[in-house]
């Protein structure tokens, strides 16, 4: 199969770099408040995966959740999408509380894109079946109208119409991810939650999928929650970011603030540890000691203190609240020393 | 270069038999100076992992090294047979990607580490145990005496990876081959392990070959870089030179596609087209269908590999027109 | 404004091979187990279906002047103690036993698959209930249960159907349940749930197609077991009743002549062997072909 390669076909979509400033609508679309999730961990113990996490996403906004393994970010994603019921806390859509069982319309509103493109598509269903099923079930298209709508979806994610006939096994990772995005968009969601959507893809393909997300967000005005362990990706596409550690949000704020003026030692450590292409100003390389503790044996006080280069005795007893830093700003940090500059 | 501790040339590995046979690694060659570090970068299908396995004579069934010369400190290493393993013992060692499957779950970490001094170097049981603890300490394992009695599943991912590194170092090799050792690790842990590798390299004088798909990670560890595409080496050279001024369109494409933390002057840009099926690699230069600098003759003939001789460090490229890439 | 369009290029290496209907046929053709098994099974089915046409005599036709005769041109495989043609009886017994065997597994297959799917997907009390029932039934020796049930219900084919319906569904339930547990956690099922699809639809379109292959492969092996069981019951006089020809009763009838006219018992035995082999190979071959790649 020869590849028709014309430079015009591969223009990058509008702006995976710096999204233009948009008027943020006052009313957030999806709001999570005080989410707490724990799982039974054998022998009567409970594993706290998420503790008191609050988040909001507005239309056309992309919020990033950054964290390493054990941070609880995927659990938050599943709560937002209605796959998991939190032990306590609420998720609201446009002010309407979403109960334990969501209605059809409520389900439509929040969609999920998964990490592994090789297991997120039903191997026995063709692309057309997957999309068609959702369209028909939700009454978004009927009979004759289904096929054109499927084609529209394919075009929206940059796949040719004949991809509809294919089964997942005949597509590459990047193509499968596009199909997964099409599936999420089929029901016309208001918020798309993407859980590590590009980390399983080859480098040369990642940029394309990222650009696709940015493009769709700008064109369709949906809200997006992007979960990633990769800071570079979050900086590239998100308007705001929240950093999670061991189930809690430790810092949250506008993108540039977080990346240029981090106020939590964990955020600083993440930034220092992230590999960069260009030799940066190495300066003080904040290297964390040790590894994230087991969530069943949570440290006292501030849970980060065993690894924190800034820790003091206060940190072992008193857990810092998520408070504005500097005072009055929208950025929050959960550190006793939040007012110190890095 | 007479100081090269590892020299590979014309390494070719094929997969499959008869009709379904295809070449996964073609004419790969590179050199690693003693105590130096080489980063091998490529995406899926680039052949980077197979190359390492061929070097270690660990190719799976159905995969064969057709030809090639691998020299360790000047001495050629055989690819097959018991002689292959013997020749590599104590000279070449590998750190695998997945620490969970690289360690035997039924033995303690200490036992597994002690096995190498015992069986390979002929040490006594007591000396082997002491050596095991020493190795754990060397790789930065906290509380090594106690940890030696732990089973792999009781350790975290980062610690397991340290154990794998310790196991590789146990045989006191001259060259350490690392196959994506940090891919499965968290960012902060990855940084620790990379620092460890660098530190060990300096302290022990062991050369490191580090395979990864992540350009930024490789930059942390490697002095030299080799970029692979569809089984071939398409560019070599000092790492910072290759990354700042690539001489092959694929390297340039990779650099442009990477989403970098420090914000980029341009938006990340995917390489057009898709990775070809190794059984149907395009004619001539395998990258030409996706290359924006390609001319007609790029499809007609194999560009081979040549060195850009202009004094100074050696840059090599498999592009016929590297000047086009280096200019813009 | 333009989105990155990805041309449908060839899938990169490391990807799964093309898997459409064609690949299944392709793999089927290259699996010797499947081919041999299919050939044997098909032959048996043809014999069973065409019995009225290919059988030289009626299986009940008694020729009392010609009892216990050896192989001859009139009776290729001889006659039994009532002068009935052995070949014809074998052919008709194939028809009987195959029919009973296949019919007897249908209910267990369907019921077991449904119950296993529900138990695996829902979990909770339903799962516990089903699994305890499975444990109890499996704990009993198969034949003890079957024979007990036949004594209750009565001999003959009805007895067989009922007995297997009660006893045989458990293996399907267990196999399907474990696959369902895995599929339940998959991302595409999660996607179906976020898509708002109701459980019934998720089970039918997303879970079952991915779990039922296990059950189907087991089915082919189970048919063998059931046929052997039917034959055994016939041998014990508890299965298919005379005069309907059945390998089991044939073996039992020919027992007393084992030293003199060994063909009467041996030939049906070989037929059972042949059937079992064919179906087992078919099952193995199917497992190969349907294996997720």
């Amino acid at each position: 199969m020869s590849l028709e390669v014309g430079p015009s076909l591969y223009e990058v979509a509008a702006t995976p770099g710096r999204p233009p400033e948009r008027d943020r609508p006052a009313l957030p679309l999806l709001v999570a408040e005080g989410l707490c999730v724990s799982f039974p961990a054998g022998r009567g113990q409970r594993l706290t995966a998420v503790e008191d996490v609050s988040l909001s996403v507005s239309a056309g906004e992309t919020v990033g959740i950054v964290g390493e393994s054990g941070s609880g970010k995927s659990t938050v994603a599943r709560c937002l999408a209605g796959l998991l019921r939190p032990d306590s806390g609420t998720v609201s859509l446009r002010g309407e509380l979403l109960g334990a069982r969501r209605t059809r319309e409520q389900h439509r509103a929040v969609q999920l894109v998964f990490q592994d493109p090789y297991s997120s598509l039903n191997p026995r269903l063709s692309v057309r079946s997957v999309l068609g099923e959702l369209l028909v079930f939700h009454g978004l298209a009927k009979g004759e109208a289904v096929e054109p709508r499927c084609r529209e979806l394919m075009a929206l994610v940059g796949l040719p119409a004949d991809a509809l006939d294919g089964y997942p096994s005949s597509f590459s990772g990047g193509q499968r991810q596009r199909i997964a995005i099409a599936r999420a968009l089929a029901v016309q969601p208001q918020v798309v939650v993407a859980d590590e959507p590009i980390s399983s893809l080859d480098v040369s393909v990642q940029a394309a999928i990222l650009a696709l997300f940015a493009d769709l967000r700008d064109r369709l005005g949906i809200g997006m929650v992007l979960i990633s362990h990769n800071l570079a990706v979050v900086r590239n596409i998100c308007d705001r970011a929240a950093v999670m550690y061991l189930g809690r949000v430790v810092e949250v704020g506008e993108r540039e603030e977080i990346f240029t003026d981090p106020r939590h030692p964990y955020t600083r450590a993440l930034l220092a540890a992230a590999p960069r292409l260009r030799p940066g100003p190495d300066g003080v390389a904040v290297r964390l000691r040790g590894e994230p503790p087991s969530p069943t044996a949570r440290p006292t006080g501030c849970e980060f203190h065993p690894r924190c280069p800034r820790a003091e005795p206060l940190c072992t007893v008193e857990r810092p609240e998520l408070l504005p830093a500097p005072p009055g700003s929208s950025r929050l940090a959960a550190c006793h020393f939040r007012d110190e500059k890095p | 270069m007479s100081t090269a501790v590892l020299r590979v040339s014309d390494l070719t590995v094929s997969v499959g038999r008869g009709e379904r046979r295809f070449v996964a690694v073609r004419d790969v060659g590179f050199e690693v100076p003693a105590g130096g570090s080489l980063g091998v970068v490529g995406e899926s299908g680039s052949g980077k992992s197979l190359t390492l396995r061929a070097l270690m004579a660990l190719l799976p069934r159905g995969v064969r090294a057709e030809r090639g010369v691998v020299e360790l400190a000047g001495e050629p290493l055989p690819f097959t047979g018991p002689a292959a393993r013997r020749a590599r013992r104590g000279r070449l060692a590998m750190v695998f990607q997945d620490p969970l499957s690289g360690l035997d779950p039924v033995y303690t970490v200490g036992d597994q580490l002690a096995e190498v001094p015992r069986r390979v170097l002929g040490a006594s049981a007591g000396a082997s145990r002491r050596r095991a603890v020493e190795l754990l300490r060397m790789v930065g394992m906290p509380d090594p005496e106690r940890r030696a009695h732990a089973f792999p599943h009781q350790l975290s991912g980062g610690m397991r990876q340290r154990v794998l590194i310790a196991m590789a170092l146990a045989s006191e090799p001259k060259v350490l081959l690392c196959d994506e050792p940090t891919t499965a690790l968290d960012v902060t842990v990855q940084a620790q392990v990379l620092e460890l590798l660098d530190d060990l390299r300096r302290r022990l004088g062991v050369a490191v070959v580090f395979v990864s798909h992540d350009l930024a990670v490789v930059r942390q560890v490697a002095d030299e870089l080799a970029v692979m595409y569809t089984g071939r080496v398409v560019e070599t050279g000092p790492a910072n030179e290759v990354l700042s001024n690539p001489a092959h369109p694929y390297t340039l494409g990779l650099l442009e596609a990477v989403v970098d933390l420090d914000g980029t002057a341009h938006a990340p840009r995917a390489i057009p087209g898709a990775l070809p099926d190794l059984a149907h690699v395009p004619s001539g230069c395998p990258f030409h269908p996706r290359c924006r600098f390609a001319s007609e003759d790029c499809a007609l003939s194999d560009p081979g590999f040549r060195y850009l001789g202009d004094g100074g460090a050696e840059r090599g490229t498999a592009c016929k027109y590297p000047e086009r890439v280096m200019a813009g | 404004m333009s989105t990155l369009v990805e041309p449908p290029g060839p899938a990169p290496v490391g990807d799964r091979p093309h898997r459409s209907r064609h690949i299944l046929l392709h793999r089927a053709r290259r699996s010797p187990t499947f081919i041999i098994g299919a050939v044997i099974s098909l032959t048996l089915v043809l014999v069973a279906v065409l019995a009225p046409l290919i059988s030289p005599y009626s299986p009940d036709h008694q020729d009392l002047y010609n009892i216990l005769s050896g192989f001859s041109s009139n009776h290729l495989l001889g006659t039994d103690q009532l002068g009935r043609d052995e070949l014809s009886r074998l052919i008709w017994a194939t028809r009987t036993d195959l029919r009973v065997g296949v019919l007897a597994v249908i209910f267990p297959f369907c019921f077991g698959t449904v119950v296993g799917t529900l138990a695996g997907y829902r979990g909770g009390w339903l799962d516990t209930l089903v699994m305890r029932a499975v444990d109890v039934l499996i704990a009993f020796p198969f034949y003890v249960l079957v024979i007990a049930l036949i004594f209750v219900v009565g001999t003959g084919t009805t007895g067989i159907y009922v007995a297997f319906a009660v006893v045989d569904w458990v293996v399907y339930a267990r196999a399907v349940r474990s696959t369902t547990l895995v599929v339940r956690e998959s991302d595409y099922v999660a996607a179906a749930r976020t898509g708002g699809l109701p459980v019934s639809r998720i089970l039918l379109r997303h879970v079952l197609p991915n779990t039922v292959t296990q059950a189907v492969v087991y089915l082919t092996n189970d048919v063998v077991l059931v046929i052997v069981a039917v034959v055994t019951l016939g041998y014990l006089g508890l299965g298919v009743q005379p005069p309907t020809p059945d390998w089991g009763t044939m073996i039992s009838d020919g027992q007393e002549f084992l030293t003199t006219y060994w063909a009467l018992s041996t030939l049906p035995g070989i037929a059972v062997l042949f059937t079992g082999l064919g179906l087992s190979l078919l099952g193995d071959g199917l497992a190969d072909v349907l294996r997720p790649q």
Side-chain angles (χ1 to χ4, degrees), chain A residues 1 10-11 13 83 107 111 118 120 122 124 133 137-138 158 167 169 171-172 175 178 183 208 212 215 219, chain C residues 2-8 12 15-16 19 21 187-188 191 193-196 198 201 205-206 209-210 213:
Chain A
M1 207 183 291
Y10 302 105
E11 287 306 310
L83 281 178
H107 267 295
Q111 287 297 301
Y118 291 94
S120 62
N122 188 334
R124 294 197 184 268
E133 173 183 50
F137 180 75
H138 289 283
Y167 285 78
S169 55
F171 295 103
S172 70
Q175 291 166 330
R178 288 173 193 264
R183 176 179 60 189
L212 179 61
D215 184 50
R219 268 206 277 170
Chain C
S2 46
T3 344
L4 241 62
V5 175
E6 208 176 293
D15 224 321
R16 317 237 172 111
R19 186 167 172 277
R21 313 288 141 118
D187 285 341
Y188 58 84
R193 284 172 58 204
T194 49
R201 182 169 231 137
R205 297 243 315 167
H206 294 274
N210 286 294
T213 35

Side-chain angles (χ1 to χ4, degrees), chain A residues 67-150:
Chain A
E68 298 176 299
S69 47
S71 58
K73 52 195 202 299
S74 285
T75 313
V76 169
R78 291 175 100 90
C79 279
L80 291 177
L83 281 178
L84 204 55
R85 200 182 330 161
D87 296 345
S88 62
T90 60
V91 180
S92 328
L93 181 69
R94 289 185 186 256
E96 178 194 337
L97 218 62
L98 296 175
R101 279 215 135 91
R102 298 191 181 183
T103 66
R104 225 181 265 202
E105 287 72 32
Q106 289 171 338
H107 267 295
R108 270 179 62 191
V110 184
Q111 287 297 301
L112 208 45
V113 175
F114 301 87
Q115 171 174 4
D116 183 7
Y118 291 94
S119 65
S120 62
L121 297 174
N122 188 334
R124 294 197 184 268
L125 290 182
S126 68
V127 177
R128 184 181 279 111
S129 306
V130 169
L131 297 177
E133 173 183 50
L134 290 168
L135 291 171
V136 169
F137 180 75
H138 289 283
L140 295 165
K142 253 198 297 259
E144 301 276 309
V146 173
E147 181 71 14
R149 183 81 191 115
C150 287

Side-chain angles (χ1 to χ4, degrees), chain C residues 37 40-41 44 98 220-221 223-224 227 274-284:
Chain C
I40 297 179
S41 307
L44 289 167
L98 231 51
T220 46
N221 285 311
V223 173
V224 176
I227 288 180
F274 194 64
T275 308
L277 191 68
L279 287 170
S280 286
L281 287 175
L282 182 65
D284 277 352

Side-chain angles (χ1 to χ4, degrees), chain A residues 3 5 10-18 67-70 172 198-199 201-208 210-211 229-236 259 266 269-282 285 287-292 307, chain B residues 42-45 142 155-160 162 185-192 194-195 213-220 240 243-244 250 253-275 289-291:
Chain A
L3 302 173
V5 174
Y10 302 105
E11 287 306 310
V12 168
T15 50
R18 304 267 175 270
E68 298 176 299
S69 47
S172 70
I198 60 175
S199 48
L201 303 175
D202 272 325
V203 171
S204 57
V205 171
Q206 285 184 6
L210 210 57
H229 65 276
N230 186 337
L231 287 166
V233 166
V234 168
R235 187 172 195 177
N236 184 281
F259 283 94
Y266 180 59
L270 276 183
L271 284 168
R276 288 165 161 78
L277 261 191
R278 272 152 270 283
D282 263 306
R287 283 282 175 264
L288 283 187
R289 294 185 309 269
E291 300 188 17
R307 307 174 70 197
Chain B
E43 298 176 291
S44 49
L155 300 174
S156 68
M159 285 198 238
R160 285 195 288 258
R162 289 174 198 266
L185 303 176
D186 279 327
V187 166
T188 49
V189 177
Q190 173 178 270
Q192 293 171 352
L194 290 177
E195 245 186 32
H213 65 276
D214 191 332
L215 278 171
V217 166
V218 163
R219 190 190 73 79
Q220 317 265 70
N240 47 8
L243 291 176
S244 55
Y250 177 60
L254 277 184
L255 284 167
E256 288 178 339
V258 167
V259 184
D260 194 40
L261 185 52
D262 290 323
T264 41
H266 51 259
R269 194 163 144 177
I271 304 180
L275 284 167
R290 309 171 76 188
C291 179

Side-chain angles (χ1 to χ4, degrees), chain C residues 70-272:
Chain C
F71 304 155
S72 71
S73 52
N74 256 345
H75 297 277
L76 280 173
L77 294 177
T79 58
D80 69 357
Q81 72 278 22
L82 293 177
R84 297 178 293 199
D85 178 45
E86 190 73 358
L87 178 62
S88 309
R89 283 182 67 76
L90 274 179
I91 292 176
W92 279 88
T94 310
R95 187 181 170 95
T96 313
D97 285 322
L98 231 51
R99 177 172 53 91
V100 174
V102 169
L103 287 180
V105 296
I106 291 184
F107 178 81
F109 173 76
C110 296
F111 184 70
T113 305
V114 167
V115 169
T117 307
L118 288 173
Y121 193 80
R122 271 281 179 236
W125 63 265
L126 180 62
D127 189 26
T128 319
L129 187 70
V130 168
M131 282 299 104
R132 294 297 82 78
V134 167
D135 286 340
V136 166
L137 283 170
I138 287 206
F140 280 94
F142 180 72
Y143 281 105
V144 166
L145 260 187
V146 169
I147 292 174
L149 278 163
I150 286 188
F151 271 117
V152 169
V153 178
T155 57
T157 49
T158 329
I160 296 179
Y161 293 144
V162 171
F164 282 115
V166 172
V167 172
D168 202 35
W169 62 270
V170 291
V171 264
Y172 293 100
R174 223 165 39 160
V176 170
R177 173 187 175 270
S178 44
T179 333
T180 305
L181 285 177
V182 173
V183 169
R184 181 180 72 171
E185 301 305 321
S186 65
D187 285 341
Y188 58 84
V189 167
R193 284 172 58 204
T194 49
L197 298 176
V199 174
S200 56
R201 182 169 231 137
I202 295 180
L203 286 177
L204 268 170
R205 297 243 315 167
H206 294 274
V207 176
L208 258 183
N210 286 294
T211 57
V212 85
T213 35
Q214 273 266 51
V216 166
V217 169
Y218 191 79
L219 180 67
T220 46
N221 285 311
D222 201 33
V223 173
V224 176
L225 289 172
V226 170
I227 288 180
V228 168
V230 168
V231 167
T232 312
L233 289 171
Y235 174 80
L236 295 173
L238 296 172
V240 175
Q241 295 300 306
T244 322
D246 151 62
W247 290 324
T249 42
M250 287 170 74
I251 296 176
S252 161
D253 289 343
Q255 240 187 223
E256 50 187 298
F257 306 103
L258 210 50
T259 47
T260 43
Y261 298 96
W262 51 268
L264 298 181
S265 285
T266 323
L267 292 174
I270 295 179
V272 176

